[in-house]
Amino acid sequence: MMLIRNIYIAAVSAAMLFTATANAQQAAGTKAKLSSSSLQLQWNKTGNGWQLQQLMLKQNGKWTSLPGVSGEYMFLYSASKPDTVPAKVYDEKGNLIDIPEPQYRYILPPWKHTLLPAALNTAGEAIRFYPSGVQKNTNGLLFTQELDKASVSATWRMDPGYEGDVLVELVLTAKQDGYFSLSSPSLAVVEKKDLGWAMVPGHFQGNSIEKSLVKAYGYGQGIPALPVVTRERTASTLSPLVSNKSGVTMAVIPAPGTSRDPWESDHSTQNDWQLGLSVMNRDAQLTPVAWHPILGEKGSWLKQGEKVIFSFRYTIRAANWFSVYKHAASDIYRLKDFLALKQTKQSLTSRIQNMHQYVIDDSTSKWRTEEYRGLKIGAQDYRGGVYGGDGQAIKNADYGAMWMLARITNDTVLKTTRLPYARNFKLTQQDTAAGFFYGSAAGQYYLPTKKKFTEEWGPYVEPIGTTYYVLMDAGNILLFNPADSAMRNEVRMAADRLLNWMSPEGKWVVAYDHATQKPMFTDIEDLRPTFYGLLIAYKLLGDKKYLTAAIKGAQWYITNAVNKGHFTGVCGDTRFAPDFATGQSAQALLDLYDITKDPKHLQAAITTAKLYTTSVYTHPIPTKAPKTVRGVSREDWEISQVGLSFEHGGSFGSATLRGPILLASHAGMFVRMFALTKDSLFLNMARTAALGRDAFVDSSTSVASYYWDVMNRGAGPYPHHAWWQIGWITDYLLSEASLRSSQQISFPRGWITPKVGPHQSYGFKPGSVYGQSADLLLKMGMLKTESPYLDYFGAINKEKKKLFLLLLNNDDEVLNTTVAIDYSKIIDNSTVNPAAVHLIADGRKTRLSAGNNWSLSIPAYGIRVVEISY
């Protein structure tokens, strides 16, 4: 029996069957055609075979012919397994490039993977051809070609379900043993001078060709000049695409099921390589290309007579990159399937409350205090890699969340044993020695055995570290304690240091050597939201010079980062590979817009958020297939990567080996972006990141694991992450409350948290609940419900004796449940006596019984508010 490997055959519903009235195919004489109402393809028989001669699409109601049509086929062949020795990288002068340097031990292995012959598209023998035969079949056109090493057939048909999509199935049958790899044909080539935008989502993007392989292939800043083949392990959405300057975008979207399953059965298969994506063919011509299988990898070895099948679609539209990319993520890879499958076991509110208990327990949270410079400073153990740390570093994470939780719970443990010593930690974290570094952050981490602060991966100081660990953190403290003169002075010193370091153009360097004060990492630019620190200083101190500088820094950032799609990250251990700082930039620009009302700042924020969606996995499609995780039975959707974001992706980010992270800092920002744009991709990505992730949550602490690959092993070496989780969950829930109430429920947002993303603090001043002022409130045991789909927050106005329960249904079905309130858990040392209770639904009030429990019905992803007068 003939063996067929790596087969994907798409199921076609009755509604999607070919109809001659909507889609036409023709093969007669020397011409063959496929057409729909928006797309026309014509092949002519030439001396070389059947060659694509014309590709036309309807643009603005008129038919437009695309230049550069080709239709050339290619497959690779090798009798032996391709070489596995990484290539060396040289600059234009022939000098060896030693980046990343040897000390970056986490990123060297994946970087070497990108320099293998298969990844550089130099492996094997390239066999090119145009088909010699064509015939019309039921659904479209069937092209055939006989060659010495293999026979190839290709079925082309229009997809009546999606205008502008052409479905292709390639079948290669080996005529001799060897390794084979199929490429999607070069549909049309875009001249480099006509490049509008190109992208392999998750790897790189831009509007120009970048000669530096490290910048383009490593940092994702521009399109590599070489026809590199990227791996699906950090391709967030499987849709390499190229847009020309006329506004036409072409993409190749491999059929679902082609790429690797990151957890195929009972262990991680994140690093299996079954699918390659590129924006250039092997001749370095700009055109979207997909490869399957990969030469030398799983499924590529064929014996004589064996087959490999590769199914994919071309999408050709008169639209920008984002429209075509969304089509791949939402329509073809069905992003929302996760939300339909999820079955939540623990509410997010419950997680906040349980993590509250975790962070006030010295044992579980690894809290410790140290004496430093005459002060008792407090922080949590950090067991990850730190320069000079020897496993003894301590760190605090989210100051906004710390002060917020203390305020909304009125917890005495937090107020007396955490905040005072965390504040001292912050005071001593600033460099106060006269000189070049005066006012800057001394480092992220404190080393108790060495009695000093240090940066993550070397003896240097980053300007953005001052934005993070002084201005953001001290700024959040000041929101809750505006009379703290020491913190106010710290903010001023830090802001003045940033002003001093800013160049006349409005930019900063990545870092300064601590010993020589000279700039470091000069091969990359500070494409990060460093300007945000000056915005904070302006809002807190009121000095216009800080706002002027923040605007100048933001404009440089928009020109050099946002408009080009070039970003730099903030994790020193990965040499600043692009990361969640890009998501922070979107929120930073939104906050700037709130002040300036300059539409350029709003548009830049939206553009940055769109680019950041490419840091979120949208494949493979979640299912209910059985999997096993360390002996525990799971369904595939429970451990799905879909909806989860990178720490950093690309060629050498942590996602290459470890997959995405569970710290969904971007969720609240994406909800806000949906409110601004009404683009459902933002909302669906926010919800898939936030909801139904119980398989990654430690049941004893409610702390989620950081990296996907460890599943549910809790905080691990990062106990401080619980604060970030409390912060992002609160930001997400309150953003959903605002959205679902049409902004009738809103609470002021504080400053962005340092490092891990764009979530913001709350609780420092009253918000509004349907026009009534109220302070946030969240007390342990205040509300009971049997449904894990019900999330809630409280809000209270003690002067007017009004209590509000903000109730959110976080499921796609109507929630019918009962909620019971414990009136003794609302105000310390007192019991609330209800006088009148009302339900607010869509702004309308109806009276409820003045008891302590109510049966409620909340629409899918809806909100209801119980208003209690007491």
Side-chain angles (χ1 to χ4, degrees), residues 57 59 66-67 187-201 204-209 223 239-252 278-280 285-289 315-326 611:
L57 80 160
Q59 188 174 18
L66 264 66
L187 190 67
V189 171
V190 175
E191 294 293 329
K192 291 180 174 61
K193 62 179 174 43
D194 196 34
L195 173 63
W197 193 261
M199 167 186 285
V200 176
F204 49 74
Q205 65 278 319
N207 54 14
S208 63
I209 306 298
I223 306 308
S239 60
L241 55 89
V242 178
S243 303
N244 63 23
K245 290 180 179 177
S246 300
V248 175
T249 300
M250 298 182 295
V252 173
S278 184
V279 293
M280 288 183 179
Q285 296 173 314
L286 283 167
T287 187
V289 181
T315 296
I316 309 103
R317 291 186 178 178
N320 62 21
W321 72 267
F322 192 63
S323 175
V324 172
Y325 153 79
K326 281 197 304 178
L611 287 166

Coordinates of all heavy atoms in Angstrom, one line a residue, residues 57 59 66-67 187-201 204-209 223 239-252 278-280 285-289 315-326 611:
L57 N -6.7 41.6 -9.8 CA -7.7 41.6 -8.7 C -8.5 42.9 -8.8 O -8.0 43.9 -9.4 CB -7.0 41.5 -7.3 CG -6.4 42.7 -6.7 CD1 -6.2 42.5 -5.2 CD2 -5.0 42.9 -7.4
Q59 N -9.7 46.3 -7.5 CA -9.2 47.3 -6.5 C -10.0 48.6 -6.8 O -9.9 49.1 -7.9 CB -7.7 47.5 -6.7 CG -7.1 48.4 -5.6 CD -5.5 48.4 -5.8 OE1 -5.0 48.1 -6.8 NE2 -4.9 48.8 -4.7
L66 N -1.5 42.7 -11.4 CA -0.3 42.7 -10.6 C 1.0 42.5 -11.4 O 1.0 41.5 -12.3 CB -0.3 41.6 -9.5 CG -0.9 42.1 -8.1 CD1 -2.3 42.5 -8.2 CD2 -0.7 41.0 -7.1
P67 N 2.0 43.2 -11.2 CA 3.3 43.0 -11.9 C 4.0 41.8 -11.3 O 3.7 41.4 -10.2 CB 4.0 44.3 -11.7 CG 3.5 44.8 -10.4 CD 2.1 44.4 -10.3
L187 N 4.1 33.1 -6.5 CA 2.9 33.6 -7.2 C 3.2 34.9 -8.0 O 2.9 35.0 -9.2 CB 1.8 33.9 -6.2 CG 0.4 34.2 -6.7 CD1 -0.2 32.9 -7.4 CD2 -0.6 34.6 -5.6
A188 N 3.7 35.9 -7.3 CA 4.1 37.1 -8.0 C 5.2 37.7 -7.1 O 5.2 37.7 -5.9 CB 2.9 38.1 -8.1
V189 N 6.2 38.4 -7.8 CA 7.3 38.9 -7.2 C 7.2 40.4 -7.1 O 6.8 41.1 -8.1 CB 8.6 38.6 -8.0 CG1 9.8 39.3 -7.4 CG2 8.9 37.1 -7.9
V190 N 7.4 41.0 -5.9 CA 7.4 42.4 -5.7 C 8.8 43.0 -5.7 O 9.7 42.5 -5.0 CB 6.8 42.8 -4.3 CG1 6.9 44.3 -4.0 CG2 5.3 42.3 -4.2
E191 N 9.0 43.9 -6.6 CA 10.4 44.6 -6.7 C 10.7 45.2 -5.3 O 9.8 45.8 -4.7 CB 10.4 45.6 -7.8 CG 10.2 45.0 -9.2 CD 11.4 44.2 -9.6 OE1 12.6 44.4 -9.1 OE2 11.2 43.2 -10.3
K192 N 12.0 45.2 -5.0 CA 12.4 45.7 -3.7 C 12.0 47.2 -3.6 O 11.7 47.7 -2.5 CB 13.8 45.5 -3.4 CG 14.2 44.0 -3.2 CD 15.6 43.8 -3.0 CE 15.9 42.3 -2.6 NZ 15.5 41.3 -3.6
K193 N 12.1 48.0 -4.7 CA 11.8 49.4 -4.6 C 10.3 49.6 -4.5 O 9.9 50.7 -4.1 CB 12.3 50.1 -5.9 CG 11.7 49.6 -7.2 CD 12.2 50.3 -8.4 CE 11.8 49.8 -9.7 NZ 10.4 49.4 -9.9
D194 N 9.5 48.6 -4.7 CA 8.0 48.7 -4.6 C 7.5 48.1 -3.3 O 6.3 48.0 -3.1 CB 7.4 48.0 -5.8 CG 5.9 48.4 -5.9 OD1 5.6 49.6 -5.6 OD2 5.1 47.6 -6.4
L195 N 8.4 47.7 -2.4 CA 8.0 47.1 -1.1 C 7.3 48.1 -0.2 O 7.8 49.1 0.1 CB 9.2 46.5 -0.4 CG 9.0 46.0 1.0 CD1 8.0 44.8 1.0 CD2 10.3 45.6 1.7
G196 N 6.1 47.7 0.2 CA 5.3 48.6 1.1 C 5.4 48.1 2.5 O 5.6 48.8 3.5
W197 N 5.4 46.7 2.7 CA 5.5 46.1 4.0 C 5.7 44.6 3.7 O 5.1 44.0 2.8 CB 4.2 46.3 4.8 CG 4.4 46.0 6.3 CD1 4.0 44.8 6.9 CD2 5.0 46.8 7.3 NE1 4.3 44.9 8.2 CE2 4.9 46.0 8.5 CE3 5.6 48.0 7.3 CZ2 5.4 46.5 9.7 CZ3 6.1 48.5 8.5 CH2 6.0 47.8 9.7
A198 N 6.4 44.0 4.6 CA 6.5 42.5 4.6 C 6.6 42.0 6.0 O 7.1 42.8 6.9 CB 7.7 42.1 3.7
M199 N 6.3 40.7 6.2 CA 6.2 40.2 7.6 C 6.1 38.7 7.6 O 5.4 38.1 6.8 CB 5.0 40.8 8.3 CG 4.6 40.2 9.6 SD 3.1 40.9 10.3 CE 3.7 42.4 10.9
V200 N 6.9 38.1 8.5 CA 6.6 36.8 9.0 C 6.1 37.0 10.5 O 7.0 37.3 11.3 CB 7.7 35.8 8.9 CG1 7.4 34.5 9.6 CG2 8.2 35.6 7.5
P201 N 4.9 37.0 10.8 CA 4.4 37.4 12.1 C 5.1 36.6 13.2 O 5.2 35.4 13.2 CB 2.9 37.0 12.1 CG 2.5 37.1 10.7 CD 3.7 36.6 9.9
F204 N 9.8 38.8 12.0 CA 10.3 40.1 11.6 C 9.3 40.8 10.7 O 8.3 40.2 10.2 CB 11.6 40.0 10.8 CG 11.6 38.9 9.7 CD1 11.0 39.2 8.5 CD2 12.3 37.7 9.9 CE1 11.0 38.2 7.5 CE2 12.3 36.8 8.9 CZ 11.7 37.0 7.7
Q205 N 9.4 42.1 10.6 CA 8.5 42.9 9.8 C 9.2 44.2 9.4 O 10.2 44.6 10.0 CB 7.2 43.2 10.5 CG 7.3 44.1 11.7 CD 7.7 43.4 13.0 OE1 7.3 42.3 13.2 NE2 8.6 43.9 13.8
G206 N 8.7 44.9 8.4 CA 9.3 46.2 8.1 C 8.9 46.6 6.6 O 8.3 45.8 5.9
N207 N 9.4 47.8 6.3 CA 9.1 48.3 4.9 C 10.4 48.5 4.1 O 10.4 49.2 3.1 CB 8.4 49.6 5.0 CG 9.1 50.6 5.9 OD1 10.2 50.5 6.3 ND2 8.4 51.7 6.2
S208 N 11.5 47.8 4.6 CA 12.8 47.9 3.9 C 13.6 46.7 4.1 O 13.4 45.9 5.0 CB 13.6 49.2 4.3 OG 13.9 49.0 5.7
I209 N 14.6 46.5 3.2 CA 15.5 45.3 3.3 C 16.6 45.7 4.2 O 17.2 46.8 4.1 CB 16.0 44.9 1.9 CG1 14.9 44.6 1.0 CG2 16.9 43.7 2.1 CD1 14.0 43.5 1.3
I223 N 13.5 43.5 6.9 CA 13.4 42.2 6.1 C 14.8 41.7 5.8 O 15.6 42.5 5.2 CB 12.6 42.4 4.8 CG1 11.2 43.0 5.2 CG2 12.4 41.1 4.1 CD1 10.4 42.3 6.2
S239 N 1.3 33.1 8.4 CA 0.9 33.9 7.2 C 2.0 34.8 6.8 O 1.9 36.0 7.0 CB -0.4 34.7 7.5 OG -0.2 35.6 8.5
P240 N 3.0 34.3 6.2 CA 4.0 35.3 5.6 C 3.3 36.1 4.6 O 2.5 35.6 3.8 CB 5.1 34.3 5.0 CG 4.4 33.0 4.8 CD 3.4 32.9 5.9
L241 N 3.6 37.4 4.6 CA 2.9 38.3 3.6 C 3.8 39.4 3.1 O 4.8 39.8 3.8 CB 1.7 38.9 4.3 CG 1.9 39.6 5.7 CD1 2.2 41.1 5.4 CD2 0.7 39.5 6.5
V242 N 3.5 39.9 2.0 CA 4.2 41.0 1.3 C 3.2 41.9 0.7 O 2.2 41.5 0.0 CB 5.1 40.5 0.2 CG1 5.8 41.6 -0.5 CG2 6.1 39.5 0.7
S243 N 3.3 43.2 1.0 CA 2.5 44.3 0.5 C 3.3 45.2 -0.4 O 4.4 45.5 -0.1 CB 1.9 45.1 1.6 OG 1.1 44.4 2.5
N244 N 2.7 45.6 -1.6 CA 3.4 46.6 -2.4 C 2.9 48.0 -2.1 O 2.0 48.2 -1.3 CB 3.2 46.2 -3.9 CG 1.8 46.3 -4.4 OD1 0.9 47.0 -3.8 ND2 1.5 45.6 -5.5
K245 N 3.5 48.9 -2.7 CA 3.2 50.3 -2.4 C 1.9 50.8 -3.0 O 1.4 51.8 -2.7 CB 4.3 51.2 -2.9 CG 5.6 51.1 -2.1 CD 6.7 52.0 -2.6 CE 7.9 51.9 -1.7 NZ 9.1 52.7 -2.2
S246 N 1.3 49.9 -3.8 CA 0.0 50.2 -4.4 C -1.2 49.7 -3.5 O -2.3 49.9 -3.9 CB -0.2 49.5 -5.8 OG 0.8 50.0 -6.7
G247 N -0.8 49.1 -2.4 CA -1.9 48.7 -1.5 C -2.4 47.3 -1.6 O -3.5 47.0 -1.1
V248 N -1.6 46.4 -2.3 CA -2.0 45.0 -2.5 C -1.2 44.2 -1.6 O 0.1 44.3 -1.6 CB -1.9 44.6 -4.0 CG1 -2.2 43.1 -4.2 CG2 -2.8 45.4 -4.9
T249 N -1.8 43.3 -0.9 CA -1.1 42.3 0.0 C -1.3 40.9 -0.5 O -2.4 40.5 -0.8 CB -1.6 42.5 1.4 OG1 -1.3 43.9 1.8 CG2 -0.9 41.6 2.4
M250 N -0.2 40.2 -0.5 CA -0.3 38.7 -0.8 C 0.2 38.0 0.4 O 1.2 38.4 1.0 CB 0.6 38.4 -2.0 CG 0.3 39.0 -3.3 SD 1.4 38.5 -4.6 CE 3.0 39.2 -4.1
A251 N -0.4 36.9 0.7 CA 0.0 36.0 1.8 C -0.1 34.5 1.4 O -1.0 34.2 0.5 CB -0.8 36.3 3.0
V252 N 0.7 33.7 2.0 CA 0.5 32.3 1.9 C 0.1 31.8 3.3 O 0.8 32.1 4.2 CB 1.8 31.5 1.4 CG1 1.7 30.0 1.5 CG2 2.2 31.9 0.0
S278 N 8.6 32.3 4.8 CA 9.5 33.3 4.3 C 8.8 34.3 3.5 O 7.6 34.1 3.2 CB 10.6 32.6 3.5 OG 11.6 33.5 3.0
V279 N 9.5 35.4 3.3 CA 8.9 36.5 2.4 C 9.8 36.6 1.2 O 9.6 37.6 0.5 CB 8.8 37.8 3.2 CG1 7.7 37.7 4.2 CG2 10.1 38.3 3.7
M280 N 10.6 35.6 1.0 CA 11.5 35.6 -0.2 C 11.5 34.2 -0.7 O 11.6 33.2 0.1 CB 12.9 36.1 0.0 CG 13.0 37.6 0.3 SD 14.8 38.0 0.5 CE 14.6 39.8 0.7
Q285 N 13.9 36.8 -4.0 CA 12.9 37.7 -4.6 C 11.7 37.8 -3.6 O 11.3 36.8 -3.0 CB 12.4 37.1 -5.9 CG 13.4 37.1 -7.0 CD 12.9 36.4 -8.3 OE1 12.3 35.3 -8.2 NE2 13.2 37.0 -9.4
L286 N 11.2 39.0 -3.5 CA 10.1 39.2 -2.5 C 8.8 38.6 -2.9 O 8.2 39.0 -3.9 CB 9.9 40.7 -2.3 CG 10.9 41.4 -1.4 CD1 10.8 43.0 -1.5 CD2 10.8 41.0 0.1
T287 N 8.4 37.6 -2.2 CA 7.1 36.9 -2.5 C 6.8 36.0 -1.3 O 7.8 35.5 -0.7 CB 7.1 36.1 -3.8 OG1 5.8 35.6 -4.1 CG2 8.1 35.0 -3.7
P288 N 5.6 35.9 -0.8 CA 5.4 35.1 0.4 C 5.6 33.6 0.0 O 5.1 33.2 -1.0 CB 3.9 35.4 0.8 CG 3.3 35.9 -0.5 CD 4.4 36.6 -1.2
V289 N 6.2 32.9 0.9 CA 6.6 31.5 0.6 C 6.4 30.6 1.9 O 6.7 31.1 3.0 CB 8.0 31.3 0.1 CG1 8.3 29.9 -0.2 CG2 8.3 32.2 -1.1
T315 N -3.8 34.3 -0.3 CA -4.7 35.4 -0.1 C -4.2 36.6 -0.8 O -3.0 37.0 -0.5 CB -5.0 35.7 1.4 OG1 -5.5 34.5 2.0 CG2 -5.9 36.9 1.6
I316 N -4.9 37.2 -1.7 CA -4.5 38.3 -2.5 C -5.6 39.4 -2.3 O -6.7 39.1 -2.8 CB -4.2 38.0 -4.0 CG1 -3.3 36.8 -4.1 CG2 -3.7 39.3 -4.7 CD1 -4.0 35.6 -4.5
R317 N -5.3 40.5 -1.7 CA -6.3 41.5 -1.4 C -5.8 42.9 -1.6 O -4.6 43.1 -1.4 CB -6.9 41.3 0.0 CG -7.7 40.1 0.2 CD -8.3 40.0 1.6 NE -9.1 38.8 1.8 CZ -9.7 38.5 2.9 NH1 -9.7 39.4 3.9 NH2 -10.4 37.4 3.0
A318 N -6.7 43.8 -2.0 CA -6.4 45.2 -2.0 C -6.6 45.7 -0.6 O -7.6 46.4 -0.4 CB -7.2 45.9 -3.1
A319 N -5.7 45.4 0.3 CA -5.8 45.7 1.7 C -4.5 45.8 2.3 O -3.5 45.3 1.7 CB -6.7 44.7 2.4
N320 N -4.4 46.3 3.5 CA -3.1 46.4 4.2 C -2.8 45.1 4.9 O -3.6 44.2 4.9 CB -3.1 47.6 5.2 CG -4.1 47.4 6.3 OD1 -4.6 46.3 6.6 ND2 -4.4 48.5 6.9
W321 N -1.6 45.0 5.4 CA -1.1 43.8 6.0 C -2.0 43.3 7.1 O -2.2 42.1 7.3 CB 0.4 43.9 6.5 CG 0.5 44.8 7.8 CD1 0.7 46.1 7.8 CD2 0.4 44.3 9.1 NE1 0.7 46.6 9.1 CE2 0.5 45.5 10.0 CE3 0.1 43.1 9.7 CZ2 0.5 45.4 11.4 CZ3 0.1 43.0 11.1 CH2 0.2 44.2 11.9
F322 N -2.5 44.2 7.9 CA -3.3 43.8 9.1 C -4.5 43.1 8.7 O -5.0 42.2 9.4 CB -3.6 45.1 10.0 CG -4.1 44.8 11.3 CD1 -3.3 44.1 12.2 CD2 -5.4 45.2 11.7 CE1 -3.8 43.8 13.5 CE2 -5.9 44.9 13.0 CZ -5.1 44.2 13.9
S323 N -5.2 43.6 7.7 CA -6.4 42.9 7.2 C -6.2 41.5 6.8 O -6.9 40.6 7.2 CB -7.0 43.7 6.1 OG -8.1 43.1 5.5
V324 N -5.1 41.2 6.1 CA -4.8 39.9 5.6 C -4.3 39.0 6.7 O -4.7 37.8 6.9 CB -3.7 40.0 4.5 CG1 -3.2 38.6 4.1 CG2 -4.3 40.7 3.3
Y325 N -3.5 39.6 7.6 CA -3.0 38.9 8.8 C -4.2 38.4 9.7 O -4.3 37.3 10.2 CB -2.1 39.8 9.5 CG -1.9 39.5 11.0 CD1 -1.2 38.5 11.5 CD2 -2.6 40.4 11.9 CE1 -1.1 38.3 12.9 CE2 -2.5 40.2 13.3 CZ -1.7 39.1 13.8 OH -1.6 38.9 15.1
K326 N -5.2 39.3 9.9 CA -6.4 39.0 10.7 C -7.2 37.9 10.0 O -7.7 37.0 10.7 CB -7.3 40.2 10.8 CG -6.8 41.2 11.9 CD -8.0 42.1 12.2 CE -8.5 42.8 11.0 NZ -9.7 43.7 11.4
L611 N 0.8 45.8 15.8 CA 2.0 45.1 15.6 C 2.2 44.1 16.8 O 2.8 43.0 16.6 CB 3.2 46.1 15.5 CG 3.3 46.8 14.2 CD1 4.2 48.0 14.3 CD2 3.7 45.9 13.1

